[in-house]
Amino acid sequence: MTKFIDLRNHPTLVSSVLLILVGLALNLIPSRLAIMFGIPLYLDCTGTIITAMLGGNLPAVIVGFCSNAINGISEPETMYYGVISIMIAVAATFFYHQRFFTNIPRLFVVIFTFALIGGGVGSLFTYFLYGLNFGQGITAPFAHAFNDVFGYSKFTSQLLADIIIDMLDKGAVVVLAMFIFRFVSRRLKNHLNQVFLRDSSNRDANKNVKHSLLRKVVVMVIVAEVLLGALASSIGFFLYRDNSIKRFVAIAKGVTNSAAHVVDADRIDEFLTVGDSAEGYKDIEEALYGIRSSFPQTKYLYVYKIERDGCHVVFDLDTDGEPGSEPGSVVAFDPSFEPYLPTLLTGGEIEPIVSDDKFGWLLTVYTPLKNASGKTVAYAAADISMDEIKSDEAMFFIKMLSLFFGLSIIIMSIVIELVNRGIVIPVNRMALAAMKFSGTTMIASTMDTEKVNLDKIRNAADRVVGLGIRSFDEIGNLYDSLSSMASDTYNFIARVQAQAERISKMQEVIIMEFAEVVEARDKSTGNHIKKTAAYVEALAEQLKKEGKFADVLTDEFVHKLKRAAPLHDIGKIAVSDLILNKPGKLTDEEFSIMKSHTTEGWKILTKMVEDAGNTIDANYLNESIDMAHYHHEKWDGSGYPTGIKGEEIPLSARIMAVADVFDALVAERVYKKPFTYEKAMAIITEGAGKHFDPDIVETFTHISEKLYSERTRLDQSGSEASIHLDSNAQKS
């Protein structure tokens, strides 16, 4: 059963074929109409230009060459101009990609370039093929004007006339192509861009590429084509010359064989003695003239008797006003014949001789004349002019180069397209996806483990896997390895993150429990560490919302403050229970010991970070060191333990100072009753610029009432849970 290809399953093939057919129609129909209505233009490359704009180099080259091939059915010589159409296709593709069709000045460059190719190169091509074709066709008026008015040579006049006519023609063609292109829908243009793989990944990936792989392939293909063209042309040239010489040898032998039949060999000596007075001599000479005229390539025709003293003339026809030698005269041997003299003197046959002397480039053939007894008595000789071979060779060479390089450009375009589709674009897509994946994982490696966005990494991995490159070669193998690497990397990061999160939570729980154990020794503080942690987080969020300390207060920094806050009083482990829980006022010595909890906390946390190294998430512990050490420093420098002031105090400690004092004021302690909210805030606001950072106090006043209300509600409910403000409270 016959199976037919379902074209619906091959949209790329259908689109390509349709674009080429439309391009051919736009080339052939306008040119036929121009001929039909006598329009003095060619209009034969509209389709080539519009195809280059919509589909790129390959379909445009095919349209240009096939247009000449179709025209060559009725006019075979048109085939040899296919290379010019291909050059226009390549130029149109280049100009479109370089956006030369977008403004008027650049359009003139496009039109002039097309005119130089079509008119200039085409005129030279015609000259080398057929000689000077002056003053013919639609260029005749311009050619005669340049020749008669300006005094230019016929060659220059014809060249300029061809370029001018072609500028008018290409101007009309470019305008027509742009008009058609303007009415092509955006959807169709995008579809053709996808079909012919105008891929943005090439541009993005090539930003970091110094030497493009496609450019290297193009250079290699061009070099290979040039070398192959030179080799093929040389071989073709020598084969053509060899065949031409063989053809001329056959002509020369035909001439001498005919002469041998006309001349009576038994009367050679009589003709030498009597000359043209001999009976029948004139008739034979007339017959020889007839033979020579039948073969226009024959320059000289003569009959010689070869003797040791020279060539004895029997017949020697006049040539172009140059009289032949008289019968019986002796012509000296030409030096080029010396190698053949022994054979000629014995009456033998010699191979055709090619000589280039004062008589020109000649092919000489000698045919023996034998008498009745079979003895060679003379030779009929013909000199064939080889000058015709030169012009034939030049024409053959130009035609061959035209066809060869026309087909070579098509082959090169196909090779480039295949390399682009099969290698360059897949590699660039993989490189771009790999760069994005690498960038995502690199960012992840520099972040807190719990901050890693697995969704972004998964999306980057999916971009690699989703390329869908299907080839059963090294590119396919590379893609499979890259996809596997992306998937494995994502899975590894996910496992590491899950494990790191578990470890981080375990560390945080252990440290928090340790802090609570220390805090529990102070019977007066209750849930102080949890409440201050909540205040710190809420205050930092509000500061961030109001745009204060924007260069420091990032989401990550706020998160670190929340985790670091519970450790601010860790140094109390070094303070005696008697001092911590003393109901009365501390002595100076006891207060000095109490103040040491800041430096002791700094020492404990610093040693913890140093000893743990990379085995613990020390990111937030660095902030806890600052909080523990400096949370009793004051804005005016009167605090302890170092007496630093203002912005010398770390921001984390300045925030903790407000939270710590506020909780101490409103909380009930063994040595005091809780202050009212109003009294506590009065103390806080009074301390702005003295004890506290005034900017932080200002912000705290915006949220303090809500914080206090939430704290009171939890205290009344008897809950020991930490204060967690809802999102509305935190952002109010």
Side-chain angles (χ1 to χ4, degrees), residues 310-499:
C311 299
H312 293 254
V313 177
V314 182
F315 292 94
D316 191 4
L317 305 184
D318 298 338
T319 302
D320 296 332
E322 180 184 350
S325 300
E326 293 296 326
S329 61
V330 179
V331 179
F333 294 119
D334 189 276
S336 61
F337 281 78
E338 290 182 2
Y340 309 101
L341 283 178
T343 303
L344 293 173
L345 290 172
T346 58
E349 294 188 20
I350 62 173
E351 292 295 320
I353 302 170
V354 177
S355 60
D356 192 1
D357 51 25
K358 63 181 180 178
F359 298 107
W361 189 28
L362 301 174
L363 170 69
T364 303
V365 172
Y366 275 66
T367 297
L369 299 180
K370 298 182 183 294
N371 59 18
S373 61
K375 180 182 178 182
T376 299
V377 295
Y379 287 91
D383 290 337
I384 304 296
S385 175
M386 301 284 280
D387 291 335
E388 185 178 332
I389 291 182
K390 292 181 179 179
S391 60
D392 288 348
E393 284 176 343
M395 187 177 297
F396 170 79
F397 189 72
I398 292 173
K399 289 180 178 178
M400 183 176 63
L401 283 181
S402 172
L403 291 175
F404 178 82
F405 281 109
L407 291 172
S408 294
I409 292 174
I410 292 179
I411 293 172
M412 183 170 65
S413 299
I414 293 173
V415 170
I416 292 172
E417 188 72 14
L418 292 175
V419 170
N420 201 31
R421 288 174 178 268
I423 299 177
V424 175
I425 288 179
V427 168
N428 278 340
R429 285 179 174 174
M430 286 189 285
L432 192 60
M435 283 191 292
K436 291 181 178 178
F437 181 75
S438 175
T440 305
T441 54
M442 184 65 70
I443 293 173
S445 68
T446 61
M447 294 175 62
D448 236 349
T449 306
E450 63 183 41
K451 296 288 186 181
V452 173
N453 192 329
L454 276 180
D455 289 337
K456 288 186 177 180
I457 299 176
R458 174 182 282 279
N459 291 337
D462 288 343
R463 274 197 296 269
V464 177
V465 177
L467 292 176
I469 297 172
R470 298 287 179 265
S471 61
F472 301 97
D473 53 16
E474 290 81 358
I475 298 297
N477 187 35
L478 175 61
Y479 169 67
D480 291 340
S481 300
L482 185 62
S483 299
S484 177
M485 180 203 71
S487 298
D488 292 346
T489 302
Y490 166 75
N491 293 331
F492 175 75
I493 292 175
R495 289 194 300 270
V496 169
Q497 185 189 29
Q499 183 178 6

Side-chain angles (χ1 to χ4, degrees), residues 26-222:
L26 290 174
N27 273 357
L28 299 175
I29 294 175
S31 64
R32 291 288 189 271
L33 292 175
I35 295 172
M36 183 184 302
F37 293 105
I39 301 174
L41 297 174
Y42 307 111
L43 304 179
D44 57 353
C45 61
T46 307
T48 303
I49 296 173
I50 196 72
T51 305
M53 296 168 75
L54 291 173
N57 191 64
L58 180 58
V61 165
I62 293 174
V63 167
F65 188 81
C66 290
S67 297
N68 283 79
I70 293 172
N71 289 327
I73 296 174
S74 57
E75 299 178 26
E77 299 301 323
T78 308
M79 278 290 298
Y80 302 122
Y81 290 85
V83 67
I84 294 177
S85 298
I86 291 174
M87 291 169 66
I88 290 176
V90 173
T93 304
F94 171 79
F95 285 134
Y96 177 75
H97 286 306
Q98 297 300 319
R99 305 181 67 82
F100 271 70
F101 288 89
T102 56
N103 60 68
I104 300 299
R106 287 190 167 196
L107 270 182
F108 281 110
V109 175
V110 173
I111 294 170
F112 183 67
T113 303
F114 288 166
L116 286 180
I117 296 173
V121 177
S123 182
L124 294 174
F125 203 72
T126 301
Y127 174 77
F128 287 118
L129 278 177
Y130 311 111
L132 184 61
N133 191 26
F134 176 75
Q136 297 184 22
I138 61 178
T139 63
F142 291 98
H144 285 293
F146 283 119
N147 182 246
D148 298 337
V149 178
F150 298 102
Y152 295 147
S153 67
K154 290 185 176 180
F155 172 80
T156 304
S157 298
Q158 186 62 50
L159 178 63
L160 292 175
D162 288 337
I163 292 175
I164 288 177
I165 287 294
D166 226 73
M167 281 192 69
L168 298 175
D169 174 67
K170 296 305 182 289
V173 164
V174 168
V175 171
L176 180 59
M178 290 182 63
F179 178 78
I180 296 173
F181 183 79
R182 183 178 180 182
F183 287 95
V184 177
S185 68
R186 173 57 57 185
R187 180 180 178 184
L188 179 58
K189 290 176 183 176
N190 292 337
H191 170 69
L192 292 174
N193 279 339
Q194 293 177 356
V195 167
F196 295 102
L197 292 180
R198 293 177 179 174
D199 202 302
S200 60
S201 60
N202 276 5
R203 295 189 298 270
D204 296 336
N206 284 337
K207 291 178 181 177
N208 300 321
V209 175
K210 292 183 178 179
H211 305 288
S212 168
L213 176 61
L214 185 60
R215 188 176 292 113
K216 290 181 180 180
V217 171
V218 170
V219 171
M220 288 190 291
V221 171
I222 290 175

Side-chain angles (χ1 to χ4, degrees), residues 598-726:
T598 56
T599 54
E600 291 299 328
W602 170 72
K603 291 177 183 178
I604 292 169
L605 293 172
T606 300
K607 190 172 189 305
M608 184 185 299
V609 172
E610 291 175 352
D611 291 347
N614 294 328
T615 63
I616 189 170
D617 180 8
N619 212 358
Y620 76 92
L621 288 180
N622 291 322
E623 296 301 328
S624 69
I625 292 173
D626 285 342
M627 278 189 178
H629 197 200
Y630 301 112
H631 71 281
H632 282 291
E633 299 288 357
K634 295 184 180 180
W635 185 257
D636 60 5
S638 62
Y640 64 87
T642 63
I644 58 177
K645 63 181 178 179
E647 292 186 356
E648 295 175 358
I649 307 169
L651 179 60
S652 58
R654 284 160 25 216
I655 294 173
M656 172 55 74
V658 175
D660 189 39
V661 171
F662 179 75
D663 185 69
L665 291 173
V666 299
E668 182 179 359
R669 300 291 172 88
V670 294
Y671 54 84
K672 78 170 186 69
K673 293 293 183 180
F675 288 5
T676 64
Y677 166 75
E678 289 76 13
K679 185 174 181 180
M681 286 306 299
I683 294 173
I684 294 292
T685 54
E686 185 181 349
K690 299 175 183 177
H691 189 160
F692 310 112
D693 184 333
D695 287 334
I696 295 176
V697 171
E698 180 187 14
T699 298
F700 186 69
T701 61
H702 301 159
I703 61 172
S704 59
E705 188 172 354
K706 290 185 179 293
L707 292 176
Y708 182 77
S709 298
E710 181 67 14
R711 182 186 192 284
T712 302
R713 184 182 64 81
L714 292 173
D715 283 345
Q716 290 174 351
S717 65
S719 171
E720 294 184 354
S722 62
I723 300 175
H724 294 289
L725 298 177
D726 59 29

Side-chain angles (χ1 to χ4, degrees), residues 499-561:
Q499 183 178 6
E501 286 177 349
R502 289 194 296 270
I503 294 173
S504 179
K505 289 179 180 178
M506 186 183 300
Q507 292 172 353
E508 192 169 348
V509 168
I510 292 172
I511 292 173
M512 181 63 75
E513 292 295 332
F514 175 59
E516 288 186 348
V517 168
V518 174
E519 193 72 20
R521 296 174 58 239
D522 187 347
K523 295 182 174 58
S524 66
T525 56
N527 290 315
H528 176 66
I529 62 171
K530 294 180 180 179
K531 292 173 183 176
T532 52
Y535 296 157
V536 165
E537 181 184 14
L539 181 52
E541 289 285 359
Q542 186 66 22
L543 286 167
K544 180 173 175 292
K545 177 184 176 182
E546 294 179 4
K548 296 178 180 178
F549 313 111
D551 56 334
V552 179
L553 280 177
T554 62
D555 290 339
E556 183 180 359
F557 186 78
V558 172
H559 182 69
K560 287 192 292 185
L561 291 183

